[in-house]
Amino acid sequence: MLRLGIDVGRQRIDCVVMDEEMRMFYVNTRPVTEHSLSGMEEMLEEMKLQGICLSNIQQVIISASSEYEEGLRESEDVHVCAIRIGSSRDSIPPFYEATDTLRETLQLTCVELSGGHHVDGNPMQALMTDEWNEKMAHAVLPVHAAFAVTSAFSPVNSEQEQIVAQWIRKRFGEERTITLSYEFGSIGLMERENAAILNAALSSVTPSLFQNVKQTLRQYGIHAGIFLSQNDGFLMAYERAISYPIRTLRSRIANSLRGASLLADREECIVVIAENKKLYIGMVEEGVPKLRWSKKDIAGMYMHVHIPEVVTIDNRIHGTPDEVLERVYQATQRFQPPYEPLPIVFVGNECNEIAGCFHDPWAEVIQPEYFSYASAIGACMAPIGGWVERMYWLSEGVSKTQVIEKTVAEAVKEAILAGAEPGSITIQSVKASPLAYVSSQALRIQVRAFGNFA
């Protein structure tokens, strides 16, 4: 059984064909021309000429974070209706900190509804259908508008967001794209709202970006499932990615981190990625990229999205080669544990020069074979993953153990929806912590599960 990994960058597209044991059957690259997936047919033809039986490809994995971003920039008709449910009026507007480029790209209609919940999940105020009908009667929305719904403390109680979603479908049709903010987990309204709006915008352009991929694959006898890489280093089925494209926006870096670990055969390592005149330094723990919550890395906004924790160095800004090497060394030291230094793995199509000059007096320095294709290989060999973050208010009859078990079950369900075989699912991590500045009855639970292809 073979896997086809396709890594789409701004300047090139890489392809690898591997089996489950990481044996390489094909590897190649093409420059990006008029469309970032335009080189795929040429490489499929090459595979046939090399005797690869394309019908044996069972999974196609695409890492296309830059494809999403380019698609959003090039689209001239992206419209999102942002619905905010809460008690405050005339507060900071949605997308307040977005970049000028994104503001110019995205047409945003903002609607405020009375409602929301307290931190304990009890309603501040009930939703009113009369207010909804009045606001929608005055809203000017195109037939293709997507919706992003955000309510105060919805991760604790998502009922009002789900009610509004029902109203949207009833008024505008079942086919409308709807993103509910509670699915992104943060207790902070703006972080969730920003993520929900951007996700809704991306969801409206996703189908057109990949409309020719399935057709092209079928022409070459590839009837495989299509998966997209997530920004946490795991995969999800294309059908699921259409609903949650924001989870792919830093996937190429996550894939490179995982690919470097696999190529170097080191489950614990520090990775230096060199490409597009930039260096990204990150860490792999137990074979999985080390993550953090996004700060202002995505479109200039605070957003509750998991992305790899990396230090970025721009070669065009940071001076002489010696100065760049010193910055890389200092960045790697940030991730090194106090004892037993981790190996440092160099990957990326521009890593040759810096890897040859870099020295660390204590750590092993590795530049593995196929270093240029680390992102495609990392995507190709990643498992299916599901992640859930929920907030609970512990009360009489509701214990910590009960809500953890409930969240674990939801994470398993997410992994299955992402395309994992139910019997193969493993829980990677469970984190339960009280919310800061809130009564100890408030609990945040984060669960990540992963499994093999179904």
Side-chain angles (χ1 to χ4, degrees):
M1 185 174 68
L2 301 178
R3 297 178 184 176
L4 169 61
I6 304 171
D7 177 56
V8 183
R10 297 188 187 280
Q11 299 175 352
R12 55 183 247 168
I13 174 172
D14 296 335
C15 258
V16 297
V17 177
M18 307 174 71
D19 66 10
E20 292 174 308
E21 298 178 2
M22 277 193 67
R23 290 179 295 192
M24 189 75 69
F25 290 82
Y26 175 85
V27 57
N28 208 338
T29 186
R30 284 283 186 277
V32 169
T33 54
E34 57 188 49
H35 187 275
S36 56
L37 290 170
S38 58
M40 191 170 69
E41 288 190 39
E42 296 177 28
M43 288 189 274
L44 290 171
E45 286 288 350
E46 278 191 3
M47 292 177 205
K48 287 175 60 179
L49 292 175
Q50 292 185 18
I52 296 174
C53 183
L54 298 183
S55 61
N56 285 341
I57 295 175
Q58 298 299 306
Q59 290 96 24
V60 176
I61 300 99
I62 302 175
S63 172
S65 55
S66 58
E67 173 76 353
Y68 279 118
E69 295 174 55
E70 290 295 330
L72 191 57
R73 275 194 288 267
E74 293 173 5
S75 177
E76 297 179 355
D77 202 15
V78 179
H79 197 121
V80 175
C81 178
I83 299 174
R84 181 186 287 181
I85 307 168
S87 59
S88 60
R89 287 287 183 271
D90 302 320
S91 56
I92 297 175
F95 255 38
Y96 174 74
E97 295 178 310
T99 60
D100 292 340
T101 301
L102 186 56
R103 285 178 172 278
E104 292 168 3
T105 300
L106 179 62
Q107 300 175 58
L108 190 63
T109 298
C110 303
V111 175
E112 290 186 335
L113 297 177
S114 301
H117 292 86
H118 296 289
V119 70
D120 62 359
N122 290 316
M124 297 179 188
Q125 182 178 340
L127 290 169
M128 296 179 288
T129 53
D130 289 345
E131 182 186 27
W132 160 259
N133 289 327
E134 180 187 353
K135 293 289 181 71
M136 287 299 104
H138 291 90
V140 180
L141 301 174
V143 294
H144 60 270
F147 290 82
V149 185
T150 308
S151 175
F153 293 111
S154 62
V156 181
N157 188 337
S158 62
E159 180 183 10
Q160 292 190 358
E161 286 191 3
Q162 296 189 37
I163 289 173
V164 171
Q166 294 172 4
W167 289 351
I168 293 169
R169 294 188 182 99
K170 184 176 180 179
R171 187 182 186 96
F172 298 99
E174 291 288 335
E175 71 284 355
R176 287 302 181 103
T177 297
I178 305 171
T179 299
L180 304 182
S181 79
Y182 84 92
E183 296 177 291
F184 297 100
S186 171
I187 205 71
L189 186 141
M190 290 190 64
E191 291 92 332
R192 281 186 289 112
E193 185 175 59
N194 289 338
I197 294 171
L198 185 56
N199 188 77
L202 290 168
S203 295
S204 66
V205 302
T206 300
S208 62
L209 294 176
F210 295 95
Q211 62 184 351
N212 297 323
V213 174
K214 282 189 176 182
Q215 182 180 350
T216 300
L217 293 171
R218 302 299 182 262
Q219 289 174 355
Y220 285 86
I222 302 175
H223 299 276
I226 299 176
F227 299 83
L228 271 70
S229 29
Q230 302 183 62
N231 44 27
D232 60 2
F234 293 90
L235 306 177
M236 61 178 164
Y238 166 73
E239 292 76 14
R240 191 69 172 163
I242 290 175
S243 299
Y244 301 101
I246 196 172
R247 294 181 180 174
T248 73
L249 285 184
R250 292 296 181 267
S251 63
R252 294 191 69 241
I253 293 176
N255 290 334
S256 292
L257 293 170
R258 182 184 287 277
S261 172
L262 292 167
L263 289 170
D265 194 22
R266 302 290 193 278
E267 284 206 336
E268 307 274 344
C269 60
I270 294 167
V271 179
V272 180
I273 307 163
E275 61 177 18
N276 300 327
K277 306 299 182 184
K278 290 186 178 181
L279 298 164
Y280 305 93
I281 299 92
M283 185 177 182
V284 177
E285 301 173 306
E286 299 181 356
V288 179
K290 184 179 182 181
L291 304 173
R292 66 171 175 79
W293 294 112
S294 168
K295 292 183 180 178
K296 286 194 174 184
D297 301 74
I298 300 176
M301 296 179 293
Y302 285 101
M303 208 170 292
H304 197 70
V305 179
H306 257 153
I307 61 173
E309 181 176 346
V310 295
V311 176
T312 303
I313 299 173
D314 193 329
N315 283 350
R316 296 165 296 186
I317 296 174
H318 290 124
T320 66
D322 287 343
E323 291 173 332
V324 171
L325 283 170
E326 177 61 24
R327 286 180 175 272
V328 172
Y329 177 76
Q330 294 300 329
T332 61
Q333 295 309 298
R334 169 179 168 177
F335 293 99
Q336 286 286 15
Y339 306 104
E340 297 185 12
L342 297 176
I344 301 170
V345 185
F346 283 81
V347 294
N349 61 304
E350 296 174 359
C351 80
N352 256 335
E353 184 177 348
I354 189 166
C357 300
F358 183 85
H359 298 285
D360 188 303
W362 297 283
E364 179 186 16
V365 177
I366 304 171
Q367 185 182 7
E369 187 180 11
Y370 300 119
F371 59 85
S372 184
Y373 301 93
S375 182
I377 292 168
C380 204
M381 301 308 296
I384 306 293
W387 168 82
V388 167
E389 178 178 347
R390 294 290 183 260
M391 312 291 176
Y392 295 97
W393 186 265
L394 302 181
S395 58
E396 187 175 351
V398 180
S399 69
K400 179 178 178 180
T401 300
Q402 287 175 321
V403 296
I404 288 176
E405 289 175 351
K406 180 180 179 181
T407 311
V408 167
E410 289 187 49
V412 170
K413 182 180 178 181
E414 279 295 314
I416 294 171
L417 290 172
E421 172 64 39
S424 71
I425 293 175
T426 299
I427 303 300
Q428 184 210 350
S429 63
V430 177
K431 296 180 181 179
S433 55
L435 295 182
Y437 311 112
V438 179
S439 166
S440 59
Q441 291 176 283
L443 190 68
R444 181 203 308 267
I445 303 176
Q446 300 165 315
V447 182
R448 193 176 303 280
F450 68 92
N452 300 327
F453 292 94

